Every structure is written in C-alpha cells, then in structure tokens.
Amino acid sequence: MKEKVVEQERRLRKRWTKEGTFQKSVANREGHKTFVFYEGPPTANGLPHAGHALGRTVKDFIARYKTMRGYQVLRKAGWDTHGLPVELEVEKQLNIRGKDEIEAYGVENFIRKCKESVFSYEREWRQFTEALGYWVDMDDPYITLTNDYIESVWHILAAIHKKGLLYKGHRVVPYCPHCETSLSSHEVAQGYKQVMDLSATAKFPIKGRENHYLLGWTTTPWTLPGNVAIAVHPEQEYVQARKGNDVYIVAAARAKAVLGNDFDVQKRILGEELVGTAYEAPFAEAEIEKGHQVIAASFVTEESGTGLVHIAPGYGEEDYNAVLENGLDFIHVVDEKGRYKQEFGPLAGRFVKDADVDIIKMLAAKGRLYAKEKYEHSYPHCWRCDSPLLYYAMEGWFIRTTAVKEQMQANNQGVEWYPGHIKDGRFGHFLENMVDWNIGRNRFWGTPLNVWVCQTCGREKAPGSLQELRQWAITELGEGFELHKPYVDDVQFACTCGGQMERTKKVIDVWFDSGAMPFAQYHYPFENQDCYHKQFPADVVIEGVDQTRGWFYSLLAVSTLYKGVAPYKRVLSLGHILDEHGQKMSKSKGNVLHPLELIEEYGADALRWALLADSAPWHNKRFSKQTVSQAKSKVIDTLRHAHAFFNLYAEIDGFDPDKHWCKADSLLDCWIVSRLHSLIKEVTCSLETYDLTKGARLTATFLDEMSNWYIRRTRQRFWASGMNEDKKAAYSTLYHVLTKTAQLIAPFAPFVADEVYSELKGDSVHLSDYPQADDSLIDQEMEDEMAWVLQIVERARFARNKAALKTKQPLQTLVVMETSVSVSPKLEKYGPIIQEETNVKEVVFHKQTSGLMSIHLNLNFAVAGPKFGKNIAFVKQQLDRLTDAEKARFLEKGECRLQDGTLLEHGDVHIERRAQEGYVLAEGNDFTVLLDTRMTTELLEEGFVRELVRAVQAYRKELGFSVNQRIDLYLDVQPPEQAILEKFKGLLDKGIVLRQVYFESKEGMKPLDVEGRPIGLYIGS
C-alpha cells in the first residue's frame, strides 16, 4: 500500500529526532557568524490556528535558510505564561468571576490553579510545531513564570525606576470593567470594533435665567451623572438663539445643524465671555462644591455636536486635565466593576454601557433632553475578554516612555521593516502619539511590580534581584521563595524614616514580560553574559501585523528604556489569514481552517508552500483547502515524482554517480543545468531581500519545466538498453539537478527536500550548504531561446485546443511569426523539438504574414475619441484605407502618419489578426502561431496509430506491467487497420516497449474503440 504523505513526513520526523538532525545543524555551525532570531512567546493555554501556521512557517524558513547559508541560528522557544487569558480560563474552570470571588476562593489557591493551567495545550502546541517542521528548541524554552525570568524583569524595572522613569500617578486610563484592570495604550490599539451607540444633546439650565439653556453634546450619555463642567473654545463664536419659548447657547457654526431653520439669533458672543457661567447639572445626585460652570478648553471644536462639551473628569483624559487646570471638584459615580455607585440611586448597580437608553429616558422625563441619535463609531474593547472598555480615572503605575520617545523614534529609523511602509506608517504613527506606559495591573497572575512604598513617608525602593529582596526583607525568605503573589505581598522592608515599606499590590503588563525576553530568556545580567551578548540584538523578529502595537512595540520600548538601543535589526510583519472570500476566520462563521487537519490531509510541505507562495507574507491572504491542494499537486508532488522517476531507472541500471558521472553535453542537458544555476542565483537574491514569495514562484516554474519539459523530453534516453555515454549524461544531469533542487527547496519544503536529498546523497539536506550558482554553467542565450520555444509550443497547444483537435492527431504545418523579437534564425535548430512537441510535420518561421493572416485595425474610441475630437470620423476613414504594407509598417514601428499628417499611435487602435480558412491563430507576447488544421489521409492514419499507442499504454499500466518490461501485443483488427498499423510499425516500436506484435484474435481480449474503429487488445508477457 502506498505510503501517505503525512506518514512519510512522520517517518522523517522520527529520523530527525533519532539522529539529532536539528541539534547537529546548529552544532555544525559553532564558531561561525551568528544570525540572531527571537521567538515571540505564544500563550500555551490556547490552541494554535492558521495565523500561527504562517508565522511559524516564515520563522522556520528564515532559520533554515540562514543555517544553510553558513550562520549559526539558535532557536530558543518561549512561553508567555502570565496575564488575563490564564486568569479568565481558570475563572471559567472554577465557575467564579471577578476579583471578589477570586479573593474569596483564596489568592494562593488561585495562583496555583493558574500555574497548572498555563500548559493546558502545551502538547498540542508541540505536536503542531513538530508536524509543521518548525525547528525550535522546545526542550529548553524561556518561560515567563520562572523565578529566573521574573528576576531579570525586576532588574530592568529597577533600572527604569532608578532613572526616575517608573512612577505612581492618578489619571484617566483605559479600563476593562470585566477584568477589573487598566490597559496600556498599545493593548487598547489591538481591540477596536465598529459599534452602534447613542449620542445625546442635553439641556443645561443657566442659573438665574429662566428658559435659557446651554446645549451640551456627548457621545457617552452614561457619563452625564458625573458632569462637573461644560467646556467651550475661548476663541470660537457662539450664538444665543431663541427657538420657540426657549433660548439656547450653541456654537455659531453649528447653529443650523443643531437648531434647524426656525430660530432667531439674539446675540453673538465669544466663548471666553461664557466662561464662569453657572448652570444646573442634569443629575443632582452627586454634590460638588466647585463646578457646574462653563470653562475654556482648546480641544473643543466646531466640527460636530454643539460646540459645547460635557465634562466628566472621571471618564476622559481631556476632561480630567481640564478640571485639574480649572481647580474644579472631582467626582466618581462608577465603581471598578463598571457599575453605578449607590450615590446614583436610580441606576445603582447597573453596568454603565448598558444604561445609555435609561439615561436618555431620564433626561426626557426631566425635560432636559434636546436631541438624541444613533451613530456608528469605532470603540475600544478588551483584547483579552472582548468587553467594551471604559476610560476611568484611577491611581496607577506608569513608565515615562514619553521621556525616551525621540530615542525610540531614532532607534526605529535604524530598523529594516517588511513591508517598508510600516516603519513610518502604522508603527511610526504609534510612536509619534505614544503616551506613558500604564504598566500596573490590578490583577493576580503576573510578574509582581517590584516597588515597595513606605506607608509613613512615601519613599520607594525597587529591588533589582532576589538577593536584594532577601537583603531588604524584614523577615528571612526561604530557599525556594517564589516571586509571585501572594508570597511577595507578605514581604516588608524597613524604611530609613522608621516606617514600614509594603509592596504595591499591582502586577505588571504581560507585554513588559514579553518585551523583556531578549534579556530575561538568558537570565541576564545574573548569568549567561556571553550568550546574551552573542544573541543581542536580533537580526530578525517575525510576528503578525497586530504585534506592531504589541510585541514589536514592547521589545523596542523595554530595550530603549534599559539599554538605549533597538533590540532588533529588522522586522517581518505578517498579514492575516482570511478565508477564500476575504472574510476573517471565526468559529461562528464556520470558516476556520485548522492547520493540523490540513497537514494530515495534504502534508506540512504543501501547507508551507501554499503559505509562502500564494502572496507576500505581509499581505492578507485569502486561503482555502484548494490552495494547499494545488501546492501539493503542482509543486511537492512534482518534485517527488521526478525523484521517483530517477530512482526507478537508476535502480534498474545500477547508476552510481561516482562511477558513471558524465558531463552534460546535449542541448536539453545543458539547458536544464543552465536554468538550475540561473534559478539558484535568482532565488538566493530574492531570499537575501526576504522576498520569499518570489523565490517560491521561481522554483515552482523551474520544477514544472524540469518535469514537464526536460524529463518528459529526455525519458526515452533512460529507456535505452545498456549504459551508453548519452544515458550516463542523462542520469548525471538529472542527479545534479535533483540534489541542487532539494537543497534549494529545503527551507520551503523540508520534508520532501530531505527525502530526495538523503536518498541521493546519503545525508540530511539540512546539514548541507545552500547551493551556489556556477556562472560557467549558465548560458543565458540558450535559456532565452528555450523560453521562446516553450512559448511557441504553448501557443500551438492553445491553437490545437481552440480547434478541438486531439494532441495525438498529427498536423502538417505550424507557422511561427515574430511579433516583438527577431530570433527566427536562432530558433531553427529547435525545429525538431517544436515539431515533436506540437505533433506537426514541419515548422516554418516567417517574419511576414505570407498571406496566411490578415490584419484589421480598428479605432480604440476610448483613447482616440478624446485625442482626435471632431476629426475622429475622418481619421477612421483614413485608417480603413491603409494598405497591408502600411499596416505592417505600423505594427513594426508602433506608429504611422495618415494622409493628412495625423500621427496614429499604437494605443489609438485595436489590432485584430485573422487566420485564413484552414488555419487557427494564437497570439503570444513574442510570437503569433498559425496551425494548419487541414487533414490528409496520411495524417488521419497516423493519428489513429498514436491513439492506439496511448490506449495500449493505459491498459498496460492497468495490468501492472513495469515500465521497462517488454510485452507481446495481440491486435484483432480489420485488414484496413492492419495495413495502417504495419505501415506505421515504427511508431508502435517507438511508443511501446515491445517484444512482438501479432495480428490475431485471442481469448480474453479487451474491446476498444479507437477513432471509431473497433479493436480487440491483448497484452502478453
């Protein structure tokens, strides 16, 4: 039974493991120049998906390629083990929710469960990684939960704290009420969604002026209970306008949009004149001493709303700053779960994002609602739990990244980005608009923030090592002390003031964990100094485009803060994997492709090839099973079949490259060797500039030419008896081509490459060097000529299909006419090849049409109309009168002067070529071919014989005869058919490995219909 592809790959993986091939490929390069690769740590409590398949394929490709190019490439795996995804998973397992229930369950017990959970899918990740052929050291990974890793992170944070860049502050931050923690700006950037919300224009009664209102607009009605002020632009013009019985104040530029047409302007005033105006709050549940008045703010615009902005300092950064600048009171009506506090009685306990409609109803009931409308906008959601975020004023810990903004920007300029536009585009814009890093998280499972604060004087200390923690701790810490909550929370320091220092209860943003990996993966600076210096900075980091605001950012930020330099030299930012219709893959849509299932069905090589060759890795990919299936059939199987062909005959003839080596000297041998070495040069050039897709496509084209042109056209040389010089040359050429191709394709398709190479050379391809082109073997002129031959053959086949003529039916003449090149004399030596490939008796090269084709020129009115205007009709008349010679000159030069001097250019006309009766025409880039489709008795008879040969070969295969086994052929035919077959006996001998032909009936014959002629067929051995 034939071995399935996935079984072949599994067998190779076992051999790699047994022989330590991966480890040897690294060890063999010891002492060579290093190529540094960082593995972005996945979270092991989620399953791998198609996006991971792309990322891991590209990573493995780069590492394999650079290894074969002579570099030592260490590949240390990593696991991101902290953070909310783990906590949320454990909450689900325990059927609890929120911090209160976690604390009730017990923090220590919860932490223990988190540690147990982090490697839930480690087996699946390992299985997926190995099945894909991704070589990475998963036996010695860096793990973010270990004491060593955390100690390195603490060292970095302590250094940042020492520089005065780690500080405690109170500000409005993005906040997830479900997770009950704040987020950093780069986390927020990953979770925007289009949503429908309500906006409201509320009436704020001006104190002491009956029926006079300020019209304040808000897109977050739920924040109105927290109103402290109304902001206006001091230099903006406002109007006081009467509408009905009420008087409103609104921006002059917005009056018509807000009030409609039916209003009277009583006076015009500048915003600064409104400052200090007192008003009644829409909800009076929260009492304040200083507030509920108009303030000036430069961020107010006339572009939307009313030009007066409702200010709620607890829920907006600009609002917060405006209230601070004006010395107004601060109020908070929302708790940490995102629900209204008890002070706001009517909606106490309600989640605020669900309360917009109720707020609007309450405004209407009080007569305070002027207008409401739905609007669609982009709103941030938690990238972990998918809940809508709030902007929430709270105390937190921040890293002053704005202090190193210019250095980060300068470091980014030294990085090579793929695609290049991200450097100054998506990533550059994010750096330009960066804010201080909100580093603290009010959660449990994470690296504890290593800052201790004196409860008496406020002094801070940040231990940068476990040793410092032990030195400063009041009580002795055990040998196996763990750097996690709740254990570190119990550690206290003595302050110089006599007070007691306690650790802030925060854990840090997990993105800081992953951003610290260049240092923490080697427990730097506590050990492995040499290894760290050898492995910093990275030559390349590779992840999805969403990591521009995730890992790529955190790597750059941490490295700049800590060392002042960029942690990587280049970044490959990969696109998303979409379904075949361009839709995002999701379980709800049922369009998810599981990489392990694709590997099981088509093999890892096919999946890898499809991912790399379909389009550049940084483009979003429309992906389907069909894409992988085609990669298997058109590329992977092509190489496998070519190798099988070689193996079959090499075993029969006992070919030994050391004994039978013979230099290529035939036309086809020299051509395929030249193509191979040109390919090596082109592919290497592409891969050095990270154009993986171009390299893959060039290789696919070559494989097709090798299989469907070179091998198909030379296979009869392998069928010859004995081992003559020509046969040795054929074997030597194909051996050379297959070994070099296996090396060339190894980073793309590591399994089939190793299968081919190891059988030919006896060692793993992954321990060999990448092939180098030999310029002495390249004959560019020959390659160009053969490319033209292939073009002619392809056009002739197209013409044959157009005429619905079978391939086996010979035809008399193929006429080839040049259209853009002048190479006929050079191609005449290829005439026999073209004849045989197109199944014609003669090939004729012409520069002119020779009366077999007429040319018709028609105006291209889309171009010529605007160009010639009212003279278009006269131009058409002159065009129709052109002679054949004038048309020919026009085609040759691309332009001509008409009788009135008008210049007619190539783009002004449509060119139509028509073949004369009895011929079929097919146009190509450089040639036009005319196929003579007229039939003679001789041609029809030969076509019959060729069809019979095809039928015999098919039946022979069906019966299981080996390709080199000679057969006795019995044919039961009528006398006319026998006469034809005897006449074309040479065709039978050439097309079938025959011992003898008998024209007689035999029991058990298979009845056939060949070109309408009944035939009985029997094959004997």
Side-chain angles (χ1 to χ4, degrees), residues 228 295 311 313 318-330:
V228 169
I295 61 175
I311 300 295
E318 289 178 329
D319 302 37
Y320 181 87
N321 292 333
V323 164
L324 284 180
E325 289 168 8
N326 286 274
L328 304 183
D329 288 351
F330 178 88

Side-chain angles (χ1 to χ4, degrees), residues 209-228:
R209 299 170 66 184
E210 188 175 356
N211 295 336
H212 281 60
Y213 302 94
L214 301 167
L215 287 184
W217 180 67
T218 180
T219 57
T220 52
W222 64 267
T223 64
L224 284 167
N227 173 265
V228 169

Side-chain angles (χ1 to χ4, degrees), residues 360-515:
I360 287 172
K361 285 180 179 178
M362 292 167 71
L363 285 174
K366 294 181 175 187
R368 299 288 182 85
L369 179 67
Y370 180 80
K372 70 180 192 306
E373 65 177 341
K374 286 184 178 180
Y375 71 106
E376 186 177 18
H377 67 136
S378 183
Y379 192 84
H381 286 65
C382 179
W383 70 291
R384 294 298 196 188
C385 72
D386 210 33
S387 298
L389 300 180
L390 308 180
Y391 281 85
Y392 194 86
M394 62 189 304
E395 195 171 67
W397 286 87
F398 301 86
I399 294 177
R400 194 171 281 110
T401 44
T402 50
V404 294
K405 172 181 172 179
E406 291 183 0
Q407 184 61 54
M408 286 179 68
Q409 290 174 315
N411 289 343
N412 179 47
Q413 288 306 306
V415 175
E416 192 177 352
W417 281 84
Y418 294 87
H421 62 78
I422 288 185
K423 175 194 282 190
D424 296 315
R426 184 185 178 105
F427 195 68
H429 293 158
F430 190 70
L431 294 181
E432 179 60 36
N433 297 300
M434 76 162 70
V435 296
D436 285 352
W437 189 342
N438 177 15
I439 195 71
R441 297 291 178 272
N442 195 18
R443 295 298 303 191
F444 304 94
W445 178 237
T447 295
L449 180 59
N450 54 322
V451 178
W452 270 253
V453 182
C454 178
Q455 304 304 297
T456 304
C457 71
R459 182 169 179 260
E460 297 173 6
K461 289 183 80 171
S465 66
L466 189 52
Q467 182 182 351
E468 284 187 344
L469 183 70
R470 293 183 189 280
Q471 287 174 355
W472 297 347
I474 293 173
T475 57
E476 186 176 337
L477 305 182
E479 186 61 33
F481 185 79
E482 182 178 342
L483 299 179
H484 277 120
K485 290 170 72 72
Y487 317 110
V488 292
D489 294 341
D490 296 332
V491 178
Q492 297 173 339
F493 301 163
C495 183
T496 53
C497 75
Q500 188 170 281
M501 304 184 82
E502 294 183 358
R503 193 190 75 83
T504 174
K505 301 306 178 188
K506 306 282 187 180
V507 295
I508 68 168
D509 181 0
V510 290
W511 288 107
F512 196 96
D513 273 354
S514 59

